[in-house]
Amino acid sequence: MKIAIVKERRPHETRVAATPETVKKLKALGAEITIEAGAGTVAAYTDQAYSEAGATIVPDAASALAVGDIVFKIQRPMTAEEGLDELGLLRQGQTLMAPLGALTNKDLVQALASRGVTSFALELIPRITRAQSMDILSSQANLAGYKAVLVAANNYGRIFPQMMTPGGTLAPSRSFIMGVGVAGLQAIATARRLGSVVTATDVRPATKEQVQSLGAKFVAVEDEEFKAAETAGGYAKQMSPEYQAKQAALVADHIKSQDIVITTALIPGRKAPVLVSEEMVRTMKPGSVIVDMAVEQGGNCPLSEFGKVVEKYGVKIVGPANLPGELPTDASALFSRNLLNFITPMVDKETRALTINLEDEVVKGTLVTRDGQIVHPSLTQA
């Protein structure tokens, strides 16, 4: 079993799919590890550290991918049009383990199938107890929620906590977190630690208690539709236009008094829902800050721009390109442990080879292409 790790080349990406810690543990499973030179430099993992952990360092991506039976990546493979043709370097029989955005990047999935690559889309790991240690979305969202608050604080022209000084008392900031998943919960906790008065909203009823347990106030229209607004997988359902109108009215009134708004709402495989309209932005206080964590999927605010800080109606709107990538050392550490935990059950203890059990719930949830075919149910249904 030979595993290859290459340098990530997509814009704004600083993470790496293995660390010296996971290299040692992968070797203990019987793997040989090949890493492209400089793959972990930006994340503060040196070639020397990888070498001392037992990895072989090679000069470029082509050299690494040429010897790897299994490829670990942080981002989906690039095409020739995007820069280095990573897709073209993959070969029949290789196994790719990476976030692929499979539900929206169907051309990529078809290309992987056509090349005979077995691919696992890590963003599709099922939300079951056994898979929690493999869940890349949760591990990275946790860091993103933390960083989003720091980004907001850096763009806000005042302090977060109440402060009593000889010159008078400074009032605490007011932060509103929209979407209470992993990222939202961490944002609540971080804003509270910084001394902000925090409120939060979500369409899933189970989140109310979670918000309150962190010392924040819950804001939502709690009608019958709200009580049934969560999927079996723990995601928010698409709400009716009627509910959206009622919730928007409540939020519109609440948002006028907020200093910080952090939006985190995503629906898998779909464009991000609009939570903060242009009209809402108009009503916000001058100097307020919005951090739109969903900007890459269209944004929860139509005024946000990917990778930019823009000012509209006196409000700063931040569209961060890659929040986990702003914490590359820890983000890489968590991601690489997720990958280690993902592959470990697939390694035969006797032969030390990769074995894919098609009856395993995690395998069924993430396996996208195999034997030249697209095999994931979500992509094969007419």
Side-chain angles (χ1 to χ4, degrees), residues 323-334:
L323 283 168
E326 296 186 34
L327 300 164
T329 305
D330 287 335
S332 298
L334 292 180

Side-chain angles (χ1 to χ4, degrees), residues 123 125 127 137 204 229-237 266-268:
E123 76 278 4
I125 288 175
R127 291 197 162 183
L137 294 182
R204 296 167 299 155
E230 188 169 348
T231 69
Y235 292 100
K237 287 183 179 178
L266 293 170
I267 300 172

Side-chain angles (χ1 to χ4, degrees), residues 66-318:
V67 298
D69 304 315
I70 301 166
V71 179
F72 285 176
K73 281 187 92 315
I74 294 278
Q75 294 272 4
R76 67 187 186 278
M78 296 177 70
T79 62
E81 293 76 21
E82 295 172 313
L84 177 71
D85 188 7
E86 294 173 326
L87 185 60
L89 294 174
L90 298 177
R91 66 180 186 278
Q92 184 174 354
Q94 273 185 320
T95 298
L96 172 66
M97 298 180 178
L100 301 175
L103 298 181
T104 52
N105 294 310
K106 296 182 180 179
D107 288 346
L108 170 64
V109 173
Q110 183 59 62
L112 290 167
S114 298
R115 297 191 70 83
V117 174
T118 298
S119 63
F120 290 88
L122 300 182
E123 76 278 4
L124 299 179
I125 288 175
R127 291 197 162 183
I128 57 176
T129 301
R130 181 168 62 87
Q132 286 180 348
S133 66
M134 313 170 190
D135 188 352
I136 60 155
L137 294 182
S138 292
S139 76
Q140 302 303 292
N142 197 27
L143 292 174
Y146 163 82
K147 186 64 177 180
V149 176
L150 301 188
V151 168
N154 283 338
N155 282 278
Y156 185 49
R158 298 167 54 197
I159 63 169
F160 260 50
Q162 176 175 294
M163 187 177 292
M164 301 178 70
T165 77
T169 299
L170 298 173
S173 62
R174 294 182 175 275
S175 298
F176 184 36
I177 314 302
M178 304 185 73
V180 189
V182 174
L185 288 170
Q186 185 56 248
I188 291 169
T190 303
R192 288 272 297 154
R193 284 194 292 266
L194 290 178
S196 192
V197 176
V198 183
T199 52
T201 189
D202 197 290
V203 298
R204 296 167 299 155
T207 60
K208 180 177 181 179
E209 186 176 339
Q210 297 170 335
V211 167
Q212 293 172 333
S213 72
L214 291 171
K217 181 181 178 182
F218 190 70
V219 177
V221 175
E222 299 183 49
D223 62 7
E224 290 303 313
E225 184 175 358
F226 171 80
K227 294 175 183 177
E230 188 169 348
T231 69
Y235 292 100
K237 287 183 179 178
Q238 182 76 25
M239 306 299 283
S240 71
E242 292 77 16
Y243 182 90
Q244 291 179 34
K246 289 188 290 185
Q247 176 73 357
L250 178 66
V251 168
D253 184 61
H254 182 70
I255 212 168
K256 295 174 185 177
S257 62
Q258 302 305 302
D259 303 301
I260 306 295
V261 176
I262 296 175
T263 68
T264 73
L266 293 170
I267 300 172
R270 302 184 64 170
K271 185 178 179 181
V274 173
L275 302 182
V276 182
S277 67
E278 182 172 355
E279 186 55 39
M280 291 180 190
V281 177
R282 286 176 184 269
T283 69
M284 293 178 69
K285 296 184 291 185
S288 301
V289 176
I290 298 171
V291 179
D292 188 347
M293 294 180 64
V295 67
E296 190 171 4
Q297 286 184 224
N300 296 142
C301 177
L303 300 179
S304 62
E305 297 182 28
F306 180 74
K308 295 181 179 180
V309 178
V310 297
E311 189 165 330
K312 304 286 186 179
Y313 311 113
V315 177
K316 284 186 179 179
I317 305 170
V318 186

